[in-house]
Amino acid sequence: MKKLLFTILIGSFFCMAEETKAQADIHFSQYNASPLTINPANAGLFSGNFRATANYRRQWETVGTVYQTIGASADMLLASDVFNDDFFGLGVSFVQDQSGVTGFSQLDGAISGSYTKILDPRGEHYLTLGAQLGYGQRSVTLDGMNWGNQWTNTGFDQGLATGETFTNFSTNFIDVSAGLNYFFSTNYDNLKGNLGVGAFHLNRPDVSIQGQTEELYVRYAVNGGLMYLIEDRNLALYPNFLWMAQGPQRMLNAGIDLKFILSEPTRVTGFRKETALSLGIYHRFNDAFFPMLKLSTGGFTLGLSYDMMVSDLRAASGGTGGPEFSLIYRTGYKSGAKSQPKNAKFY
């Protein structure tokens, strides 16, 4: 019965396009591990020369058909010798989501560019502008669905005619987004923070797969955080948040990471890399709590988290959410004073 109710709920939401215009965008719990999906200005905005990320999310194991989301991105420092201490960033990103019995699939790819302006002679304040050009696809596979005309006294018979007529099962569109980010870091790098604003789907693309006009709402994303390093204890505190709004939908994530630095990098040569363990607890308000574990070494960071439902959907899901994994690799991260890139002050 739980599976049936959950299927009806998801199916109803899928069919409400006329009223809600379009579904909300997909998202990751480990949002900081998917930087280009929360702000185009994040391209190149990290400590290092090159960054690659991979994300995988799986949920609703207990209700039958699994929902899964895959993401990947790569971004880099670019043209850092053109305007004194200012620099450019360039990135590409990809996200694919497969949802439930309808086989509803979302595919989004984008290229992002950014320009970071240093605001003071001491290099403590930065302002970054970003833009993103994307391509999206939405499609549905209805082979696994049951319809009223297929009901018999013993259940659904998919060999019977559905009595339904569909003219189109997919659509493609161009997407335009932009972002702004402010970052500061003290001269000793023991306190740093940022506040960013992103706006996605500025051109309101039509994502209808049934020939009707169905425009995406603009998605606004505000994210920020503070990182405080207690050097004598090799401990860093990182409270951070992400708030998003898209049409009638609202979402707020907030939490904190405790980063234990197990071994420090060599400050001059950068030959020995930092090794650290981070423990975090986060809350997506009115939805889920998710503990987080991250292990960093040699430029790699592996992140693990698990959503624990607290919303009304916990009755249908048995209280379970789903696991999420992320992997980040950075070159030039804390590479020593001899070869520090211009973005070395960032996280």
Side-chain angles (χ1 to χ4, degrees), residues 132-198:
Q132 188 177 90
L133 180 64
Y135 168 82
Q137 183 182 76
R138 303 290 185 266
S139 62
V140 175
T141 302
L142 302 179
D143 295 340
M145 295 189 67
N146 297 315
W147 305 90
N149 287 355
Q150 296 176 323
W151 175 256
T152 68
N153 291 333
T154 58
F156 286 100
D157 181 358
Q158 291 193 338
L160 299 177
T162 66
E164 306 290 338
T165 302
F166 298 97
T167 59
N168 192 18
F169 293 95
S170 66
T171 188
N172 308 297
F173 58 90
I174 299 297
D175 209 0
V176 178
S177 307
L180 178 71
N181 188 82
Y182 165 73
F183 179 88
F184 79 90
S185 176
T186 60
N187 198 39
Y188 297 101
D189 283 347
N190 63 328
L191 179 64
K192 55 183 69 178
N194 82 291
L195 180 64
V197 179

Side-chain angles (χ1 to χ4, degrees), residues 24-346:
D25 286 359
I26 57 180
H27 60 271
F28 290 100
S29 292
Q30 298 182 43
Y31 48 85
N32 286 320
S34 182
L36 300 183
T37 63
I38 61 175
N39 194 335
N42 284 335
L45 216 60
F46 62 95
S47 178
N49 295 312
F50 174 82
R51 173 176 62 181
T53 72
N55 313 87
Y56 178 74
R57 177 178 176 83
R58 188 177 176 91
Q59 59 187 26
W60 309 121
E61 296 273 2
T62 60
V63 297
T65 306
V66 174
Y67 287 53
Q68 62 179 5
T69 307
I70 300 171
S73 70
D75 59 322
M76 61 187 293
L77 190 66
L78 183 70
S80 60
D81 298 326
V82 177
F83 299 117
N84 297 323
D85 292 325
D86 302 344
F87 59 87
F88 292 89
L90 180 67
V92 294
S93 58
F94 160 84
V95 180
Q96 195 270 341
D97 179 73
Q98 191 78 26
S99 303
V101 295
T102 64
F104 179 66
S105 177
Q106 304 183 62
L107 174 65
D108 295 291
I111 181 169
S112 303
S114 70
Y115 172 66
T116 298
K117 174 70 178 177
I118 188 170
L119 300 178
D120 66 309
R122 299 179 62 180
E124 295 185 349
H125 302 272
Y126 300 80
L127 186 65
T128 303
L129 301 175
Q132 188 177 90
L133 180 64
Y135 168 82
Q137 183 182 76
R138 303 290 185 266
S139 62
V140 175
T141 302
L142 302 179
D143 295 340
M145 295 189 67
N146 297 315
W147 305 90
N149 287 355
Q150 296 176 323
W151 175 256
T152 68
N153 291 333
T154 58
F156 286 100
D157 181 358
Q158 291 193 338
L160 299 177
T162 66
E164 306 290 338
T165 302
F166 298 97
T167 59
N168 192 18
F169 293 95
S170 66
T171 188
N172 308 297
F173 58 90
I174 299 297
D175 209 0
V176 178
S177 307
L180 178 71
N181 188 82
Y182 165 73
F183 179 88
F184 79 90
S185 176
T186 60
N187 198 39
Y188 297 101
D189 283 347
N190 63 328
L191 179 64
K192 55 183 69 178
N194 82 291
L195 180 64
V197 179
F200 295 81
H201 319 307
L202 290 173
N203 59 324
R204 300 292 303 275
D206 182 6
V207 298
S208 172
I209 58 175
Q210 281 294 297
Q212 302 172 357
T213 299
E214 185 183 342
E215 294 180 343
L216 273 177
Y217 283 113
V218 176
R219 171 168 63 94
Y220 299 99
V222 181
N223 75 291
L226 288 172
M227 182 171 286
Y228 177 61
L229 174 64
I230 308 173
E231 282 195 275
D232 58 347
R233 297 189 179 183
N234 282 346
L235 174 66
L237 308 178
Y238 181 44
N240 62 94
F241 76 95
L242 169 66
W243 176 85
M244 293 198 296
Q246 187 172 17
Q249 309 296 327
R250 299 291 184 272
M251 185 184 73
L252 174 62
N253 289 284
I256 185 171
D257 281 346
L258 301 180
K259 180 180 179 181
F260 302 91
I261 302 173
L262 306 179
S263 66
E264 295 186 83
T266 47
R267 296 179 180 271
V268 178
T269 64
F271 180 76
R272 188 178 70 241
K273 302 299 182 182
E274 178 183 272
T275 298
L277 175 69
S278 297
L279 303 176
I281 183 67
Y282 287 79
H283 183 203
R284 186 163 53 250
F285 286 76
N286 300 317
D287 187 19
F289 280 96
F290 46 102
M292 195 177 304
L293 170 68
K294 290 186 283 189
L295 177 63
S296 303
T297 185
F300 287 93
T301 298
L302 174 66
L304 308 173
S305 63
Y306 189 86
D307 286 10
M308 296 182 291
M309 304 297 298
V310 296
S311 69
D312 292 341
L313 287 178
R314 67 182 182 275
S317 66
T320 63
E324 186 172 310
F325 308 90
S326 68
L327 181 63
I328 302 174
Y329 175 64
R330 288 181 287 180
T331 65
Y333 176 63
K334 295 192 176 180
S335 55
K338 289 185 176 180
S339 57
Q340 279 192 351
K342 288 188 174 182
N343 58 357
K345 281 184 171 288
F346 293 88

